Amino acid sequence: MRITDVKATTLKGFKQWNYVRIETDEGLTGLGEAHPGQGVVDVVLKEFRSMLVGSDPRDIEPLYTRMTRSSQSRCGLALAAIGGIETALWDLLGKALDVPACRLLGGKYRDRLRLYADVGRGRENTPEAWAERAREGVADGYDAIKFDIDNSAKELELDPVNRELSTAELEKMTALVAAVRDAVGDSIDVCIDCHGLYSVHSAVKLAERLEPFDLMFLEDPVPNDNVEAMAKVTASTSTPICTGEFLYRRDGFRELIQMQACDMLHVDVSGTGGMLEAKKIADMADLYNMPFAAHNIVSPIGMTAAAHVCAAVRNLFIMELPYHATQVDWRWDLVLSDEPLIQDNAFVVPDGPGLGIELNDEVAREHVMPGYSYFDEGA
Ligand SMILES: [Mg+2]
């Protein structure tokens, strides 16, 4: 089997949703979603297309290695493009062998994945509004919810850039989380994301103040590119510290895991290099008995790829549902699948070959980003 063409397109979704389609001389095609970002599609077509055409698509790891070796950049846009291509190759191989992608990654530990709803923020940054937003997530049936606490007390900050949290900010943030915990009771898991904004000692103070609320995790309390700083926060608190959505490939996780600088990983499958790379990161973490969660800001196509990884890793504890993308009310219509992907608030891993889903061309075509064609149609 040989690759005859690589096509790509971009939809205007919650973010820029990028898709890759790989075509072969046997008529089989593979579909993958690349990490959101402007220009990703151009990298797929201009940097990698000619390298892939003529290759056997079943040699996934050698092709991945060729792409990462040839690229000037092994993160960001280039890795987003590579991740989309890699996912399309797994979809294709699964179809060629008539097995679901999770089988190719070692097999399925679970059919259904627990989801947390990333509810974002309250409509205002008041305890009442945060409590209301928490109740909405729980009323929709989710037993785990996440809030973004960064910038929630911006009016109280003393300096916009120095990473310090004033006592007044700490007080307010604590009151917001207290209101959430009070609103949902003790049986709901609550997560808080800081997006890597704070200094070590501010993060230590925040984590300590949040200990009574028994968080499932506190995410990226400090910038995630300094392992020692993350380790210091993690060692200081009983609040579980989580990081990983902005780290790339095994190399980006190696020190973090070896130093046990966090309590759990939050890996973005589409951003970190694709499905096999994410599986390898999970396995590396499992050597240290460290749990693995999947971060998602992709459309349901990319979520399905992440779900196949999550099904095939032993140490999975939860997967993100980008609940704040609910304003894109056509997003589930993008998927053609035998049964709904979300059932009883869990993600049901498709059983069909490859990813087990197809892109609904009719729906997708309606939302192509201006300036792009739909997989070269009409070109
Ligand atoms: Mg995050």
Side-chain angles (χ1 to χ4, degrees):
M1 194 191 305
R2 297 287 150 187
I3 297 173
T4 51
D5 208 349
V6 178
K7 294 176 177 170
T9 193
T10 297
L11 306 192
K12 199 172 182 319
F14 174 68
K15 299 266 180 183
Q16 190 157 5
W17 286 339
N18 301 310
Y19 302 108
V20 178
R21 186 169 277 167
I22 294 180
E23 298 176 352
T24 63
D25 57 0
E26 296 191 7
L28 282 176
T29 62
L31 171 70
E33 181 168 356
H35 199 65
Q38 287 191 32
V40 173
V41 157
D42 296 327
V43 178
V44 170
L45 298 175
K46 291 177 183 159
E47 192 164 342
F48 298 120
R49 182 182 169 276
S50 61
M51 180 190 300
L52 293 163
V53 168
S55 300
D56 189 324
R58 296 168 293 192
D59 293 327
I60 300 178
E61 192 154 15
L63 289 173
Y64 176 82
T65 303
R66 265 172 72 191
M67 289 189 284
T68 50
R69 278 191 63 185
S70 82
S71 177
Q72 291 300 309
S73 162
R74 290 179 190 137
C75 59
L77 283 189
L79 200 62
I82 291 169
I85 293 166
E86 192 255 20
T87 299
L89 293 171
W90 285 111
D91 184 44
L92 188 55
L93 181 59
K95 287 170 177 164
L97 300 175
D98 197 24
V99 291
C102 56
R103 286 268 149 74
L104 302 173
L105 296 173
K108 191 160 50 162
Y109 281 102
R110 50 194 80 79
D111 298 310
R112 286 167 173 256
L113 309 172
R114 188 182 180 209
L115 294 169
Y116 76 80
D118 183 352
V119 299
R121 301 167 190 276
R123 278 167 195 82
E124 295 168 61
N125 286 314
T126 62
E128 298 73 28
W130 276 49
E132 189 193 342
R133 186 70 176 145
R135 281 191 291 263
E136 285 169 10
V138 173
D140 272 355
Y142 293 97
D143 63 1
I145 52 176
K146 185 168 93 175
F147 281 84
D148 296 331
I149 199 127
D150 52 294
N151 296 315
S152 63
K154 211 169 170 43
E155 72 284 3
L156 299 169
E157 74 189 359
L158 300 176
D159 182 300
V161 294
N162 71 357
R163 301 201 181 95
E164 294 300 287
L165 284 170
S166 67
T167 303
E169 282 175 280
L170 285 164
E171 289 277 326
K172 182 175 174 188
M173 289 173 165
T174 307
L176 294 174
V177 178
V180 168
R181 173 54 77 206
D182 195 43
V184 301
D186 291 337
S187 61
I188 300 295
D189 278 313
V190 176
C191 319
I192 297 291
D193 196 349
C194 305
H195 290 116
L197 289 190
Y198 307 125
S199 69
V200 168
H201 85 98
S202 288
V204 166
K205 281 184 187 171
L206 179 63
E208 186 185 8
R209 280 170 182 257
L210 299 185
E211 283 174 1
F213 309 115
D214 193 22
L215 298 183
M216 184 159 74
F217 58 77
L218 180 67
E219 185 178 345
D220 288 330
V222 287
N224 63 11
D225 40 17
N226 185 321
V227 173
E228 289 92 344
M230 191 71 74
K232 192 169 175 186
V233 178
T234 299
S236 78
T237 178
S238 64
T239 296
I241 302 298
C242 178
T243 187
E245 75 177 74
F246 299 111
L247 298 174
Y248 299 117
R249 302 177 296 119
R250 279 160 287 165
D251 317 61
F253 285 90
R254 183 180 57 83
E255 250 193 304
L256 183 81
I257 294 169
Q258 283 179 336
M259 284 180 63
Q260 298 176 69
C262 62
D263 295 297
M264 48 188 71
L265 293 188
H266 198 236
V267 176
D268 192 297
V269 173
S270 69
T272 207
M275 297 171 70
L276 183 57
E277 194 66 30
K279 159 75 168 144
K280 288 176 178 177
I281 293 164
D283 289 345
M284 217 158 64
D286 195 46
L287 291 176
Y288 290 81
N289 307 311
M290 188 185 280
F292 172 96
H295 170 259
N296 278 311
I297 55 165
V298 280
S299 80
I301 307 293
M303 271 191 86
T304 305
H308 279 277
V309 175
C310 289
V313 303
R314 178 178 178 178
N315 45 344
L316 178 82
F317 76 104
I318 206 154
M319 184 165 95
E320 174 169 10
L321 176 74
Y323 183 89
H324 46 30
T326 45
Q327 64 265 40
V328 186
D329 56 7
W330 45 271
R331 61 185 179 145
W332 296 107
D333 302 334
L334 276 174
V335 175
L336 297 171
S337 60
D338 290 341
E339 47 177 337
L341 296 177
I342 306 283
Q343 293 177 34
D344 300 325
N345 302 95
F347 196 101
V348 179
V349 185
D351 235 354
L355 296 181
I357 55 165
E358 287 297 337
L359 193 56
N360 184 331
D361 289 319
E362 256 177 64
V363 175
R365 220 179 261 120
E366 283 172 30
H367 299 281
V368 173
M369 186 76 84
Y372 289 84
S373 71
Y374 188 67
F375 295 120
D376 281 352
E377 275 179 3

